[in-house]
Amino acid sequence: MRVKRQKRHRKSVRFYTACYGFRQPYKVLCDVTFVHHLVTNRITPADKAISNVLGAPVLLFTTKCAITELKQHGPMLGPSYSQSLEAANSLITARCDHESHVSAEDCILDVVGQSNSEHFFVATQHVDLRRKLLKIPGVPAIYALRTALLLESPSDAQHQFVKASEEQRLHMTDLEYKMLKKKMNIPNSLKINDPAGEEDGSGDRNMEAQAVAKRDTARIGLGVKDKVQFKRKRAKGPNPLSCKKKKTKKPDLHSAQEGKDGDATLRSRKKRSRSRKGKKTLEADG
């Protein structure tokens, strides 16, 4: 069962990573009910336990409204209240724009928003809150069952949103077709029904701007980037450790010895010529 659960978790994480642009380290927004469950069941350290579920390092967050709710209703939780409050205060506080205190459920829904632009995994023990979150595109939910942590599988609504977004990106709109026809001079036989004002230059510019904006919003909705994030690796020079070292030529002892012998013979010849010249001069004087 544990192996099947890990495979299901990895599949869900790949879905959110590929389709909604989640990146490591994953950010987990924890509800106070989830924090209290971790404390009472002694699931520590919490970040390591959640990272084992997601298969990557994580950062744990909570909200001010959730901590305030824990302070108000904490004594009802029993003797573990102080430990839960201390654990909640040790988490990173996510920004919420609530001037007055609201419930933790409403605060989490407001922080996530309609598209979960911050890419939060939400950890909560509220069943109703998890159902609401799974209806929002790109919001994965985590919950605990005794000492086991589980990741909800993507809902049908999230799958349908991904399919609709992909279809919108693949098909060419009327405005994009007009831009393509203007640049590539498509013949009139392939012309589609265009609205009035097509030949106007200002209208074309406006339509181009609208097409680009529509395309960008469709791609931003999924959190997917068009450009490659990493530089392409190019071929480099050979590895110096795998290359042979250049051989240095050793001096030839035989040639060196011959050179020394040649110098000696030259010196002896010079001495002989000098001695012969000296004898001739002496005989001439005598």
Side-chain angles (χ1 to χ4, degrees), residues 175 179 204-215 217:
L175 299 176
M179 294 168 56
D204 291 342
R205 287 193 294 270
N206 294 333
M207 287 186 290
E208 290 178 4
Q210 292 176 5
V212 172
K214 188 176 181 180
R215 181 193 61 195
T217 53

Side-chain angles (χ1 to χ4, degrees), residues 91-147:
L91 304 182
I92 305 172
T93 304
R95 180 180 177 182
C96 64
D97 299 330
H98 301 129
E99 296 180 358
S100 60
H101 167 66
V102 298
S103 64
E105 181 178 348
D106 295 337
C107 182
I108 289 174
L109 290 174
D110 289 341
V111 170
V112 170
Q114 297 296 325
S115 60
N116 192 16
S117 59
E118 294 293 331
H119 299 117
F120 279 119
F121 285 81
V122 180
T124 180
Q125 294 298 102
H126 282 297
V127 179
D128 294 336
L129 179 58
R130 292 205 304 269
R131 290 175 181 172
K132 293 178 182 178
L133 292 172
L134 290 176
K135 293 180 181 179
I136 302 173
V139 183
I142 301 173
Y143 66 98
L145 186 63
R146 295 182 182 177
T147 58

Side-chain angles (χ1 to χ4, degrees), residues 200-229:
D200 188 11
S202 61
D204 291 342
R205 287 193 294 270
N206 294 333
M207 287 186 290
E208 290 178 4
Q210 292 176 5
V212 172
K214 188 176 181 180
R215 181 193 61 195
D216 293 341
T217 53
R219 289 169 181 170
I220 292 172
L222 289 175
V224 180
K225 296 183 179 179
D226 294 333
K227 296 182 180 179
V228 181
Q229 294 183 353

Side-chain angles (χ1 to χ4, degrees), residues 39-277:
V39 172
T40 54
N41 289 273
R42 298 179 181 178
I43 304 176
T44 55
D47 54 350
K48 185 177 180 180
I50 298 175
S51 65
N52 290 335
V53 175
L54 302 181
V58 297
L59 298 175
L60 303 183
F61 292 79
T62 190
T63 61
K64 291 182 180 179
C65 297
I67 295 174
T68 304
E69 182 175 337
L70 181 61
K71 290 180 181 178
Q72 292 178 356
H73 304 284
M76 300 172 60
L77 300 176
S80 61
Y81 153 69
S82 59
Q83 297 178 2
S84 301
L85 182 60
E86 184 180 356
N89 285 322
S90 64
L91 304 182
I92 305 172
T93 304
R95 180 180 177 182
C96 64
D97 299 330
H98 301 129
E99 296 180 358
S100 60
H101 167 66
V102 298
S103 64
E105 181 178 348
D106 295 337
C107 182
I108 289 174
L109 290 174
D110 289 341
V111 170
V112 170
Q114 297 296 325
S115 60
N116 192 16
S117 59
E118 294 293 331
H119 299 117
F120 279 119
F121 285 81
V122 180
T124 180
Q125 294 298 102
H126 282 297
V127 179
D128 294 336
L129 179 58
R130 292 205 304 269
R131 290 175 181 172
K132 293 178 182 178
L133 292 172
L134 290 176
K135 293 180 181 179
I136 302 173
V139 183
I142 301 173
Y143 66 98
L145 186 63
R146 295 182 182 177
T147 58
L149 300 181
L150 303 174
L151 175 63
E152 289 274 11
S153 299
S155 62
D156 294 337
Q158 293 175 347
H159 282 289
Q160 291 296 331
F161 180 82
V162 172
K163 289 182 180 179
S165 300
E166 288 295 330
E167 288 291 332
Q168 187 177 2
R169 291 181 60 189
L170 290 175
H171 292 291
M172 185 184 300
T173 62
D174 295 343
L175 299 176
E176 290 176 343
Y177 177 78
K178 292 172 186 177
M179 294 168 56
L180 181 64
K181 183 180 66 174
K182 183 179 178 181
K183 291 182 179 179
M184 300 189 66
N185 297 323
I186 297 177
N188 294 328
S189 60
L190 301 177
K191 185 177 179 181
I192 62 174
N193 295 327
D194 297 335
E198 178 186 354
E199 302 300 332
D200 188 11
S202 61
D204 291 342
R205 287 193 294 270
N206 294 333
M207 287 186 290
E208 290 178 4
Q210 292 176 5
V212 172
K214 188 176 181 180
R215 181 193 61 195
D216 293 341
T217 53
R219 289 169 181 170
I220 292 172
L222 289 175
V224 180
K225 296 183 179 179
D226 294 333
K227 296 182 180 179
V228 181
Q229 294 183 353
F230 305 101
K231 294 182 179 179
R232 183 179 297 177
K233 293 184 179 180
R234 300 186 182 276
K236 298 181 180 179
N239 187 0
L241 299 177
S242 63
C243 299
K244 291 184 179 181
K245 295 182 179 180
K246 293 183 178 180
K247 294 182 179 180
T248 57
K249 293 184 179 180
K250 295 181 180 180
D252 193 354
L253 298 177
H254 182 68
S255 61
Q257 186 67 29
E258 289 180 353
K260 290 180 180 180
D261 295 340
D263 294 338
T265 52
L266 289 174
R267 290 172 186 170
S268 59
R269 287 177 183 175
K270 289 180 180 180
K271 288 180 180 179
R272 290 175 185 174
S273 61
R274 289 175 184 173
S275 60
R276 288 176 182 176
K277 290 180 180 179

